[in-house]
Amino acid sequence: MSEYVSPSSVPAQRTISPSEPLAQADPFELAEAAARSIRGRTQVNTHDIALILGSGWSGAADLLGETVATLPARQIPGFRAPAVAGHGGNVKSVRIADSDTHALVIGARTHYYEGYGVRAVAHAIRTAAACGARTIILTNGCGSVNPEWGPGQVVLIRDHINLTGASPIEGAHFVDLTDLYAQRLRDIAHEVDPDLPEGVYVQFRGPHYETPAEVTMAGILGGDLVGMSTTLEAIAARQSGMEVLGLSLVTNLAAGVGSSALSHDEVLEAGRDHAERISQLLATIVSRIARA
């Protein structure tokens, strides 16, 4: 696993305001500042597991265990309120039930299409690493290229295809992505639900939905799912030395696979319809990981 890129070459204690633009601060220095803020306000020195909760997954935060603190994301250096309906705007510290392990639950995802740059997309991941997390769980809502996976199906991500044309890694840092989505964590998820299928997630830049021809292309390339998040976050997590587990909730059949028009309302509806089941699934997986 690749070595965590430390900001040790820059002053560690410079005060960074929550509103300071990411472009004006070293990304790892900013992550350290965010981690100091989280530690100070939660009084939790180490968060061992981190979760990024995408569309439909937010209910899992309440099932993990005792919420130690809830912080508005915009008050933490480098974070901003989410721009997408269905995403929470808070960062929570949760003590996982029946353990001494704490989880950092991030409901403030920045998408690449928002135009803030790749550093903003990766900031939550780098903050989690600076908080001590060695495992990160990335969730999303997505479209299915496979007509057999309809709304409500949860799919483990076994690999991805990044079609954004971007990377969160800057400079000559060569990171191996061969086993990016950890087999160990997927095995734990299969222990919880042996019927979970695995697939390849394809990230497009967005915010427009894919055309039928683009969905066909994704399938030809080996993709099973299409969406607008996750891959850049996963790359940043690997650079920071974390194990990655990815879970996708199918919210709709992708363009050309299904016959209905696509809308974000459909994504939100699928999330509401299946929230209780998938939240319980995720909470159980996290509990198993914490005890492993």
Side-chain angles (χ1 to χ4, degrees):
M1 187 166 289
S2 301
E3 182 180 356
Y4 172 62
V5 179
S6 169
S8 57
S9 61
V10 296
Q13 298 299 321
R14 183 170 73 84
T15 300
I16 299 177
S17 109
S19 60
E20 179 171 340
L22 283 150
Q24 296 179 12
D26 177 276
F28 294 97
E29 179 185 1
L30 189 61
E32 290 286 353
R36 288 196 299 273
S37 175
I38 291 169
R39 282 194 293 269
R41 298 176 66 184
T42 64
Q43 297 299 298
V44 175
N45 288 328
T46 301
H47 289 85
D48 306 278
I49 299 173
L51 298 90
I52 306 291
L53 298 183
S55 297
W57 294 94
S58 61
D62 297 326
L63 301 177
L64 294 174
E66 176 192 359
T67 297
V68 175
T70 300
L71 312 177
R74 64 184 181 277
Q75 295 179 7
I76 302 170
F79 283 83
R80 53 178 53 83
V84 183
H87 291 261
N90 296 320
V91 174
K92 292 186 177 184
S93 175
V94 179
R95 182 181 180 276
I96 298 174
D98 301 319
S99 78
D100 294 323
T101 301
H102 287 82
L104 188 68
V105 183
I106 300 172
R109 169 180 261 156
T110 297
H111 295 80
Y112 189 47
Y113 59 71
E114 294 176 46
Y116 296 111
V118 184
R119 286 184 174 185
V121 174
H123 179 60
I125 309 302
R126 289 168 174 155
T127 296
C131 285
R134 310 313 298 164
T135 299
I136 191 160
I137 300 172
L138 306 175
T139 67
N140 61 57
C142 68
S144 177
V145 180
N146 183 341
E148 296 182 1
W149 294 346
Q153 178 67 60
V154 174
V155 181
L156 292 174
I157 301 175
R158 73 166 185 272
D159 205 345
H160 78 226
I161 299 171
N162 173 16
L163 295 183
T164 68
S167 172
I169 301 173
E170 303 174 32
H173 301 290
F174 305 107
V175 178
D176 181 15
L177 303 181
T178 302
D179 57 349
L180 175 54
Y181 297 92
Q183 183 67 57
R184 183 184 78 90
L185 300 180
R186 300 204 316 271
D187 288 345
I188 291 174
H190 283 304
E191 291 173 4
V192 175
D193 185 349
D195 295 326
L196 284 175
E198 297 191 0
V200 175
Y201 180 91
V202 183
Q203 181 178 352
F204 287 82
R205 189 184 191 284
H208 53 274
Y209 291 107
E210 306 78 19
T211 68
E214 289 169 338
V215 171
T216 298
M217 174 190 72
I220 292 171
L221 291 175
D224 301 293
L225 310 164
V226 292
M228 305 175 195
S229 68
T230 304
T231 73
L232 298 174
E233 297 165 340
I235 295 167
R238 169 47 63 90
Q239 183 191 22
S240 292
M242 287 189 280
E243 280 191 297
V244 180
L245 177 66
L247 297 101
S248 293
L249 169 67
V250 174
T251 59
N252 56 272
L253 295 177
V257 179
S259 58
S260 61
L262 305 181
S263 72
H264 191 59
D265 289 340
E266 184 179 31
V267 174
L268 295 176
E269 181 180 359
R272 288 191 297 267
D273 289 347
H274 302 282
E276 183 176 353
R277 175 177 57 84
I278 67 172
S279 294
Q280 186 59 63
L281 171 67
L282 181 55
T284 305
I285 291 171
V286 172
S287 178
R288 293 283 184 91
I289 291 172
R291 298 199 305 268

